[in-house]
Amino acid sequence: MSTQAYPEEKMIDLGFRKGPTILRANAASGMAVNDECKLKFLELKAKRTYRFIVYKIDEKLKQVIVEKVGEPTLGYEDFTAALPADECRYAIYDFDFVTEENCQKSKIFFIAWSPDTSRVRSKMLYASSKDRFKRELDGIQVELQATDPTEMGLDVIRGRAN
């Protein structure tokens, strides 16, 4: 009898933290999700430790990993500058705004960045892994798919937040 919660789960020791890291393989693409991805997201959601998180698929390790985090003081321009112009990424952005009733609010955006100039293989890999990866991040409020910067401009973010 297996002691694993999921049949596709593997325990490995990455050597940089105490205890093994749990990786859950994505059935569609074979990509695993490193548990640091979920931990950083929970820190952003609960403690507001970060303004944004950029995730990438490491094809050699066959897993989604955290590539960059942005400090809470950074703005939307810093976030968009953290995304490569010609490579796919997943990203989380914590957007603060004021409602028409003058209430301070925040929405957590999931952005699937898949620029037209990225490799077809990369676009397919990110597309096939997206839904499983999103399920690991409980608390996403808005999802955007962007293929060029105009599809995720600040005006688009503002419009989707309301």
Side-chain angles (χ1 to χ4, degrees):
M1 184 165 147
S2 173
T3 59
Q4 296 175 329
Y6 302 93
E8 70 276 5
E9 201 170 78
K10 288 192 280 186
M11 299 285 277
I12 64 166
D13 184 6
L14 296 176
F16 58 83
R17 60 186 330 187
K18 292 184 179 178
T21 296
I22 297 175
L23 297 176
R24 292 190 177 94
N26 182 326
S29 67
M31 286 298 142
V33 177
N34 187 301
D35 67 347
E36 184 188 18
C37 296
K38 194 169 184 176
L39 292 172
K40 295 286 185 200
F41 177 76
L42 290 172
E43 289 175 18
L44 177 143
K45 185 173 89 168
K47 300 177 188 171
R48 308 208 59 187
T49 311
Y50 310 109
R51 173 67 52 201
F52 63 85
I53 306 168
V54 177
Y55 301 97
K56 74 181 267 185
I57 292 177
D58 186 317
E59 291 189 51
K60 288 188 178 105
L61 296 175
K62 294 202 181 313
Q63 64 178 294
V64 181
I65 61 170
V66 173
E67 181 179 46
K68 294 178 186 170
V69 294
E71 298 304 314
T73 57
L74 296 179
Y76 194 72
E77 300 77 29
D78 301 303
F79 165 65
T80 56
L83 295 171
D86 58 356
E87 292 179 36
C88 298
R89 293 292 186 269
Y90 301 127
I92 296 292
Y93 186 77
D94 186 7
F95 180 63
D96 292 328
F97 63 102
V98 178
T99 66
E100 290 179 11
E101 297 81 30
N102 209 27
C103 294
Q104 185 70 34
K105 288 207 168 189
S106 173
K107 290 257 173 123
I108 297 175
F109 280 75
F110 176 88
I111 299 170
W113 172 239
S114 184
D116 289 330
T117 55
S118 61
R119 297 180 339 220
V120 172
R121 174 174 154 63
S122 179
K123 290 180 198 178
M124 290 173 58
L125 186 58
Y126 275 79
S128 65
S129 303
K130 181 181 76 168
D131 288 338
R132 169 62 201 272
F133 179 60
K134 269 182 31 192
R135 280 195 300 272
E136 295 287 328
L137 308 177
D138 185 35
I140 293 169
Q141 296 165 306
V142 183
E143 179 184 346
L144 279 180
Q145 170 77 38
T147 59
D148 74 57
T150 62
E151 295 177 342
M152 55 178 253
L154 194 52
D155 55 330
V156 175
I157 297 292
R158 280 191 189 108
R160 293 289 304 272
N162 292 325

